[in-house]
Structures are given as C-alpha cells and as structure tokens.
C-alpha cells in the first residue's frame, strides 16, 4: 500500500499527536505504521461531501449577480467580474497551493485551508462595497483548493485495485457541488436576501471543518527533502517529459472543451425555436445533468477490471456517438437533448476518473503536483470550449457548434491511439506490449490496471 511505504521509516512515537502543536489529533487518525488508516466507503463519502461543499464556494455567485449589482448600486457588467475573480484566484491557488500536498502534512493543510475560506466567507457577508466583495472573492478562490488536496490524498489512501473507484466517488462529489451550487443559491436568494446564501455557506464550511478534524487521517510528509521551489521545477519537468501526463492533459483539454461548449450553447438552443423555453426550464437541465454525474462511480470499477486505457477508449467512442446523434437530431425533439445531457455528464465524469488513474500512476510521491497540472488543464479547456463554442454558435448556429465537439472527440481518440496501453513510461509513441487489457498481477496478490 502506498501509505505504508511512506510510513515505514518512521516510528509511531515520533509522529505528532497534535494539529499545529495545539489541538489533539483523535487517536484513530494518528500517523501509525502498524495501524494504517482504512479508507472505506463512508470515509470516501465524507471526503466527497467535503469536495462538494467547498467547490460550491466558487459557484454560488453566478445566479446572484443581478441582485448583487442592485445591492451594491453598480452595473451588471461590473458585478459580472465576480465569477472571473473567483476563477482567477482558483487558478493561482491550483498552481501555488495545491502542490503543497506533496510537501507538508495533508491533514493540517486541509484544516488550514477550510478555516481560511470560512473566515474569508465572513468577509463576503460583511462587505458593503463591490470592491471589497470582489477582493474577498478573489482570496477565497486562491485558498479554495481543498478538493484538489483531497483527491490525490484519496488515491494514496485507497488500495491499488480500488483507486479508480475511490477517485470516482470524490469526483462525483466535486461535480455535484459545481452543478448544485447554482441551484441552491438561486432557490435561497429567491426567498431571502442574497447574503443569506453566504450565511449558509459559512455554516456548511464549519461543518466541513469539523468533519475534516474527525475523519481526515494524519500522515507524514511524502517528500521530506522537497523544497517549495523544487515543486515548480518538478511540475515543469513532468509537464514536458512525461508522455502519460502530456497525453492525459491533451485529452482532458479537448474533453472539457466539449462539455463547456455544450452547456454554454444549450441555453441558446433551448431559448430559440422550436423549443422557446423560459429561463426556469433551461435551469432545470442542470438537475438533469446531476443524474448523469451520479452514474460516475459505476465507471470507477471499470479501471480495476479493464485498465484505464481501454476504459477511456470506450468512453470516448461512446461520447463521439452521442455527439453525432446530438448534432443530427437535437433540434428535432427535446428527448434527444435530455438523453445527451445524461450521457455527456456520465461519460465525461468517467473520462476524468480514467485519466486521473493514469496520471496518479506516474509517481506516488508527486500526485499532488501531477493533479495540479491535470486540473490546470481544465481551465484551459473551459476557456477554449466557451469561447470557440459561443463564437461558432453565434456565427453558424448550434449544429456547427456541436460539429466542433465531434472534431474534439476525434482529436481525443487520435491522441489516445498515438500511444498504446502497455508502452513503457517514457515511450511517446508505439504499441509495445500489444493490446493486452488484462489487469496485471503483483507479487503481493494485489492488482493494478495497466497504464
């Protein structure tokens, strides 16, 4: 088990028994080489809930912008900068903070980050000017990277044969937080003042902080000799010298571009003939997407049985088929759009799990850094998908925008097929080892999928 290797050189008595030297760590969560922490289903659900509630901080504002503009006596254009500042801060946090999971003790890092975002959320509630609110929004984005600490931590805690299933549960929580944050914020603001959303957010984060204290195990530093500056050097080195990471990033950028383009242009498609739906009905499609996300953990078990390469190939082929049907028939009947919403979210979720399984298999000691690079590619893909999708839709219509996604899926298959499932780690092209999809057996009896 990965964590056992990290704990082997340490005596249990030498490990700290207090968080930050002040708060006692529950005995069952203390770092122990003889009694490693069991990462079971309930703990995965707790971690997934933490991912959902924390990532939601970035998205509560989106349905509240009109009310915020009115309350701060400013224009909608100025208020619309708030989501951008959240995402800008998040991008910085991904690069400068999330890799710290490879440098310092992760339990203390998680507790500190949740405490900081909770305190900063108080500033949102008390803000009396737009500039102050925007400043707090940016700072929350910077420190709101707890999910990107939890996901690689879960990969370390899970048994090798269960890693894909464990990561899929946390990814489901992350996506649910993104999708449901807008719904919850809109409902709460409809019946109360928009600031009530952030009062609720503060309460939820306090619960997450308590949950992190009660359920997050303490483990020793993964890389005691690593320095903060070395983190960035190694990230750049991985980004240009590791074929599996480059392949995963290129596929991920194109995949999230398809997802972002669809959800952006869906509003235009449903608002125009033949549907002419209201904003309320269009918003309900977000709940349809939730159904697809809930199916994500099922695909985590495919990794253990068939390996991430074959699983990813099948998921991408299915997405290409779905996208082709959507391009041909989305303007004919609403049932096509509904089925595509479910299929897109389910299969996109499975792609993320399969890609992360490949990335996390590159190096046990660098999973936080590798995850940071992988997650940063999401921002790039979202920017490409939203900008290209909107421009093509406005110029040529929804069918052309959908056809663009077909091209992106063909690109993903090309990148995937460029390198076979059993190539040696530093081989950029080829099919060495053939197409053997059987799960490899280790001497200790555990199983790991081929990468």
């Amino acid at each position: 088990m990965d964590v056992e290797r990290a704990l082997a050189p340490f005596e249990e008595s030498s490990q700290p028994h207090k968080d930050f030297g002040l708060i006692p760590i529950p005995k069952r969560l203390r770092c122990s080489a003889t009694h490693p922490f069991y990462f079971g289903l309930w703990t995965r659900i707790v971690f997934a809930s933490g991912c959902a509630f924390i990532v939601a901080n970035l998205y509560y504002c989106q349905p509240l912008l009109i009310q915020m503009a009115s309350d701060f006596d400013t224009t909608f254009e100025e208020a619309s900068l708030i989501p951008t500042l959240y995402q800008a801060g998040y991008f910085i946090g991904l690069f400068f903070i999330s890799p710290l999971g490879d440098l310092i003790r992760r339990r203390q890092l998680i507790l500190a980050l949740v405490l900081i975002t909770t305190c900063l959320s108080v500033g949102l509630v008390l803000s009396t000017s737009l500039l102050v609110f925007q400043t707090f929004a940016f700072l929350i984005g910077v420190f709101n990277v707890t999910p990107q600490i939890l996901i690689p931590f879960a990969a370390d805690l899970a048994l090798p044969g269960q890693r894909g299933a464990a990561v899929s549960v946390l990814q489901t929580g992350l996506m649910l937080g993104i999708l449901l944050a807008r719904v919850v914020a809109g409902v709460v603001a409809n019946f109360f003042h928009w600031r009530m959303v952030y009062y609720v957010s503060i309460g939820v984060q306090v619960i997450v902080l308590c949950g992190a204290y009660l359920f997050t195990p303490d483990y020793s530093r993964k890389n005691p000799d690593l320095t903060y500056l070395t983190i960035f050097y190694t990230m750049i080195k991985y980004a240009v010298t590791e074929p599996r990471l480059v392949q995963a990033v290129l596929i991920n950028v194109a995949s999230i571009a398809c997802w972002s383009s669809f959800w952006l242009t869906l509003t235009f498609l449903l608002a125009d003939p033949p549907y002419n739906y209201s904003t309320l009905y269009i918003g309900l499609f977000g709940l349809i997407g939730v159904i697809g996300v809930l199916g994500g953990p099922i695909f985590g078990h495919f990794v253990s049985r068939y390996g991430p390469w074959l699983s990813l190939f099948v998921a991408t082929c299915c997405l290409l088929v779905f996208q082709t049907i959507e391009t041909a028939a989305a303007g004919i009947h609403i049932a096509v759009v509904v089925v595509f919403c479910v299929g897109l979210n389910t299969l996109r979720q499975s792609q993320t799990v399969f890609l992360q399984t490949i990335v996390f298999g590159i190096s046990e000691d660098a999973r936080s850094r590798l995850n940071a690079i992988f997650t940063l590619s999401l921002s790039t893909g979202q920017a490409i998908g939203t900008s290209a999708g909107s421009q093509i839709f406005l110029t040529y219509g929804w069918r052309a925008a959908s056809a663009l996604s077909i091209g992106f899926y063909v690109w993903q298959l090309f990148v995937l097929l460029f390198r076979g499932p059993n190539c040696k780690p530093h081989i950029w092209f080829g099919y060495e080892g053939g197409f053997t999809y059987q799960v490899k057996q280790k001497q200790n009896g555990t199983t790991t999928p081929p990468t």
Side-chain angles (χ1 to χ4, degrees), residues 264-277:
L264 175 67
T265 58
L266 176 66
T267 301
F268 304 131
L269 172 65
L270 297 180
D272 292 339
Y275 302 118
N276 298 311
Y277 285 172

Side-chain angles (χ1 to χ4, degrees), residues 39 47 149-159 163 166-167 170:
F39 192 56
F47 273 40
I149 306 296
L150 287 171
I151 291 173
F153 194 16
D156 284 347
L157 292 171
L159 294 170
R163 188 169 297 140
V167 170
L170 270 68

Side-chain angles (χ1 to χ4, degrees), residues 11 18 27 41 53 55 63 81 145 152 172 174 183 192-193 197 212 243 259 272 276 290 305 324 331 365 393 397:
E11 295 292 336
K18 292 185 178 180
K27 189 173 181 179
L41 176 60
F53 293 137
V55 77
L81 288 175
V145 293
T172 297
L174 188 74
V183 177
F192 305 96
H193 194 275
V197 174
W259 187 86
D272 292 339
N276 298 311
V290 170
R305 186 167 184 178
T324 303
D365 293 328
F393 181 93

Side-chain angles (χ1 to χ4, degrees), residues 392-409:
I392 291 178
F393 181 93
L394 293 173
T395 305
Y396 301 104
W398 65 266
R399 186 168 274 113
S402 183
L404 173 67
S405 293
I406 292 178
F408 279 136
Y409 287 123

Side-chain angles (χ1 to χ4, degrees), residues 202-229:
I202 293 169
V204 168
Q205 289 178 85
V206 170
I207 294 173
V208 172
L209 184 61
C210 294
Y213 174 78
L214 294 174
F215 291 98
T216 304
D218 184 40
Y219 282 106
S220 57
R221 296 170 58 186
K222 296 178 68 175
N223 302 279
D225 299 327
L226 193 67
T227 65
Y228 188 61
L229 292 178

